[in-house]
């Protein structure tokens, strides 16, 4: 198997170089954006308990109903531009944005930042990490 790998690398150096470049760029992007305004599940819980943070779940309604964080507000990412006014009363509170895997919440962070929300965080790993950590979900 290793011999085949070396043979492939020798026969396709441009393909392997392109793959390595994309892999390095992706890892660098994840490292850079992963820590930026990201909170772990325990940090999110502390923000909710100590500072009355608002949890904004940007998943679709059916995913939200299947299980969400207690007290979370559901505004699907596609509707955020139209419904951002619903969060105006919470502008002085921290907002934790939760999506499915923690990958798409960056777009919502940018929109909320442009709308004047200063303390906006994304839930690292999203709802998948929340469930993996064994934290409770509300189902409606």
């Amino acid at each position: 198997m290793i011999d085949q790998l070396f043979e492939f690398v020798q026969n396709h150096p441009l393909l392997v170089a392109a793959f390595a470049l994309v892999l390095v760029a992706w890892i660098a992007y994840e490292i850079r954006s992963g820590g930026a305004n990201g909170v772990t599940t325990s940090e999110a819980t502390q923000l909710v308990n100590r500072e009355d943070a608002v949890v904004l779940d940007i998943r679709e309604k059916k995913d939200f109903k299947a299980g969400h964080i207690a007290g979370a507000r559901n505004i699907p990412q596609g509707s955020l531009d139209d419904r951002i006014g619903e969060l105006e009363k919470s502008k002085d509170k921290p907002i934790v944005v939760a999506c499915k895997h923690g990958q798409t919440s960056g777009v919502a962070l940018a929109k909320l930042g442009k709308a004047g929300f200063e303390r906006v965080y994304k839930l690292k790993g999203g709802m998948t990490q929340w469930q993996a950590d064994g934290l409770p979900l509300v189902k409606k």
Side-chain angles (χ1 to χ4, degrees):
M1 172 106 176
I2 298 293
D3 293 338
Q4 290 175 336
L5 179 64
F6 286 127
E7 184 179 344
F8 181 83
V9 170
Q10 288 176 342
N11 291 335
H12 305 286
L14 291 176
L15 185 61
V16 172
F19 173 75
L21 183 64
V22 168
L23 182 63
V24 167
W26 178 69
I27 290 171
Y29 171 77
E30 285 297 317
I31 289 171
R32 201 174 112 231
S33 67
N37 291 339
V39 293
T40 63
T41 54
S42 61
E43 292 170 333
T45 303
Q46 288 177 0
L47 282 170
V48 170
N49 291 338
R50 294 182 183 165
E51 299 184 45
D52 198 27
V54 174
V55 178
L56 175 62
D57 194 322
I58 60 169
R59 297 176 299 156
E60 293 301 317
K61 194 169 197 163
K62 67 178 179 78
D63 294 328
F64 181 78
K65 285 184 175 183
H68 59 273
I69 299 170
R73 299 195 54 170
N74 180 233
I75 301 178
Q77 187 163 353
S79 306
L80 188 58
D81 289 332
D82 298 331
R83 296 178 57 193
I84 204 162
E86 295 176 25
L87 298 170
E88 282 297 318
K89 293 179 182 176
S90 304
K91 225 172 194 176
D92 60 330
K93 298 178 184 178
I95 297 179
V96 178
V97 180
C99 62
K100 188 170 186 174
H101 298 291
Q103 304 270 327
T104 58
S105 52
V107 174
L109 255 62
K111 288 179 182 180
L112 291 168
K114 286 181 183 177
F117 292 86
E118 294 179 11
R119 297 183 61 203
V120 184
Y121 308 96
K122 70 178 186 177
L123 181 62
K124 290 181 183 176
M127 293 303 295
T128 304
Q129 186 63 47
W130 186 270
Q131 288 176 298
D133 289 347
L135 294 168
L137 293 177
V138 174
K139 297 182 181 183
K140 285 187 179 179

